[in-house]
Amino acid sequence: QVQLVESGGGSVQAGGSLSLSCAASGYTGSINYLAWFRQAPGKEREGVAAISRGGGSTYYADSVRGRFTISRDNAKATVYLQVNSLKPEDTAIYYCAARTASVYGSYGVLLVASGYGYWGQGTQVTVSS
C-alpha cells in the first residue's frame, strides 16, 4: 500500500506561482511513476504532469507545458509541482497519484487517471483574475 499527502495549495492572482508537494509513504519502492492531476468543478479529472521513477523523464499536458514543472526527490519520497504563470482556468483541486505498472506503448497513458492506483486527498488551487 502507498499513502499520498499533498500540500501547498492556495489562492493567488493570475500570473502568480505556487509550489505543490506530495509526500509518499508505505511501500514506495513499488512506485514507477508519480503524477499530478486536477479536477475543476463540473469537469473530468485531467492529467497535468507525470515523472518517471528516476526523474529523468517528464510528461506534460499541452495546457501546462512551459508553465508547470514536475520533479521528485526519491530520498524524501516526495514529488513536487511548481506552477507558474497561473491562469484562472488553472483553478481546480490538484491530486497526486502513484502508478506501479510499467508503460507498454504510448506514454500518453501516464496522463490518464485509470492507470493510477493510489491517490492523495487533493489540495485546492484557486487563481483569481
Side-chain angles (χ1 to χ4, degrees):
Q1 292 290 327
V2 173
Q3 296 78 42
L4 302 169
V5 179
E6 301 97 334
S7 61
S11 297
V12 297
Q13 290 190 327
S17 299
L18 285 171
S19 295
L20 308 184
S21 299
C22 172
S25 59
Y27 190 34
T28 58
S30 67
I31 299 173
N32 261 326
Y33 296 91
L34 288 163
W36 288 92
F37 288 76
R38 66 185 182 186
Q39 189 165 19
K43 295 189 176 181
E44 292 187 357
R45 193 164 295 191
E46 172 192 22
V48 172
I51 189 166
S52 61
R53 176 188 286 271
S57 297
T58 55
Y59 311 87
Y60 294 95
D62 289 342
S63 59
V64 306
R65 186 175 291 111
R67 299 189 297 122
F68 292 10
T69 302
I70 189 171
S71 60
R72 67 190 286 178
D73 184 338
N74 287 336
K76 296 181 179 179
T78 299
V79 62
Y80 306 95
L81 187 69
Q82 177 67 35
V83 296
N84 298 327
S85 302
L86 282 162
K87 306 175 182 179
E89 52 263 43
D90 294 318
T91 295
I93 299 174
Y94 282 69
Y95 297 91
C96 173
R99 174 186 173 113
T100 57
S102 299
V103 173
Y104 301 96
S106 171
Y107 283 93
V109 300
L110 292 176
L111 297 181
V112 177
S114 60
Y116 291 80
Y118 301 99
W119 293 85
Q121 82 289 349
T123 185
Q124 177 71 46
V125 172
T126 303
V127 185
S128 58
S129 58

